[in-house]
Amino acid sequence: MGHLEVEDGRRIYFEHYAGTGQPVVLVHAWGLTAHSWDTVAPALLADGHEVVLLDCRACGRSDKDFADVSITAMGADVARLCEHLGLQRPVVDGWSLGGAVAVDAVARLGSAAGGLVLTGGATPRYTAAPDWPHGGTPDDVEAVLAGAAADRATTFKGVSQAVCAVPVSSDVVDWMWGMFLENGPRADDSLRDLATIDQRKTIGTLEVPVLALHGRSDGFVAFSGVEAAMDLYPDARLVAFDGVGHAPHLEDRDTYLAELRTFLAATGEKTAR
């Protein structure tokens, strides 16, 4: 594990695991930590992959008092971390808000990236627009943030309970809840930024293959928006998970890992050429 200074002496936390296979960078969802990949990282390590996990700005073991917690700032952090570690054509996998961060990072890396995976990815838009009838509104986001400001514990418990459509144990809910309670107040501004950004032009410029893994019953990121975005990517494939909510890697781990492994094998072959 280590820390990387990224802004005015402030640092993000990361873990870098050696491996001879395709490097994979795992970017967590809004307000959570690298531990949200605890069911994925061990499998990738067992497969021989080089694995990097990080806590985004204001989350987990990273510093909390960042001035800039925008999607673009966190995307720059991921790209900088990849360069700092000397990763060779990494695949960046982002969950939820982490998907938008991953898009930004891969766009920055350009041909130095190997691929992009969107796990319930909140991209290219999280909220609806006149020409994008998918998702909620910035006011919906502000209502959640107002609830967190007034009663952080109860609000984040409710969010944790809503993540999965497939029934999960109370232990899983409490595990996510505990991660939420590690974030700092500036993390709220990351979600606020997500409510306004539009990455439609960005995803059209990506030079890498894209795999979207998304639950049809996702209550946070509209499945219809993910479907609509497929034609915007130069090279993308959507895997729909029936009856699954916002966390396909938790709700249908076996299928998730099978799809991810197939994608990593294909990108690894391209890297080796």
Side-chain angles (χ1 to χ4, degrees):
M1 68 180 184
H3 288 86
L4 179 68
E5 183 178 329
V6 292
E7 179 194 279
D8 298 333
R10 289 164 180 78
R11 307 177 303 165
I12 59 167
Y13 169 90
F14 70 89
E15 299 171 14
H16 181 204
Y17 297 92
T20 57
Q22 173 82 47
V24 184
V25 181
L26 300 170
V27 186
H28 63 77
W30 172 65
L32 296 179
T33 77
H35 278 302
S36 60
W37 296 105
D38 281 354
T39 63
V40 175
L44 296 179
L45 290 172
D47 291 344
H49 290 286
E50 182 178 7
V51 177
V52 176
L53 302 114
L54 69 148
D55 287 349
C56 291
R57 297 184 179 206
C59 294
R61 292 147 288 188
S62 292
D63 290 337
K64 303 297 192 298
D65 55 344
F66 278 94
D68 186 354
V69 292
S70 65
I71 302 301
T72 56
M74 293 191 291
D77 290 347
V78 173
R80 183 174 178 179
L81 182 59
C82 290
E83 293 165 354
H84 172 74
L85 297 174
L87 304 183
Q88 299 298 307
R89 292 182 58 78
V91 170
V92 185
D93 184 346
W95 176 25
S96 190
L97 177 145
V101 173
V103 165
D104 187 272
V106 168
R108 291 174 187 274
L109 290 168
S111 60
L116 169 67
V117 179
L118 301 170
T119 300
T123 185
R125 286 192 61 94
Y126 183 55
T127 56
D131 61 345
W132 188 259
H134 314 285
T137 69
D139 286 344
D140 296 331
V141 172
E142 290 298 335
V144 172
L145 295 178
D151 184 348
R152 211 161 185 82
T154 302
T155 297
F156 284 138
K157 183 63 172 286
V159 172
S160 300
Q161 292 170 329
V163 168
C164 298
V166 173
V168 295
S169 70
S170 60
D171 291 335
V172 171
V173 173
D174 289 346
W175 169 69
M176 286 189 282
W177 185 34
M179 285 187 275
F180 272 120
L181 295 180
E182 290 186 52
N183 69 47
R186 292 308 307 276
D188 296 11
D189 288 331
S190 297
L191 186 61
R192 187 171 281 117
D193 185 53
L194 182 69
T196 61
I197 66 167
D198 190 324
Q199 295 181 316
R200 281 179 286 180
K201 290 183 179 178
T202 302
I203 65 175
T205 68
L206 298 181
E207 305 174 25
V208 298
V210 177
L211 174 65
L213 302 162
H214 211 99
R216 290 187 184 274
S217 300
D218 191 324
F220 291 85
V221 180
F223 182 79
S224 61
V226 179
E227 284 187 306
M230 285 298 104
D231 291 337
L232 303 179
Y233 295 96
D235 178 11
R237 183 170 72 92
L238 170 61
V239 177
F241 288 72
D242 291 335
V244 167
H246 194 44
H249 61 302
L250 300 177
E251 298 173 71
D252 189 352
R253 178 176 181 266
D254 290 346
T255 302
Y256 179 89
L257 287 176
E259 294 289 350
L260 180 58
R261 283 168 166 148
T262 298
F263 181 78
L264 293 176
T267 56
E269 288 177 4
K270 289 181 181 180
T271 300
R273 290 174 189 166

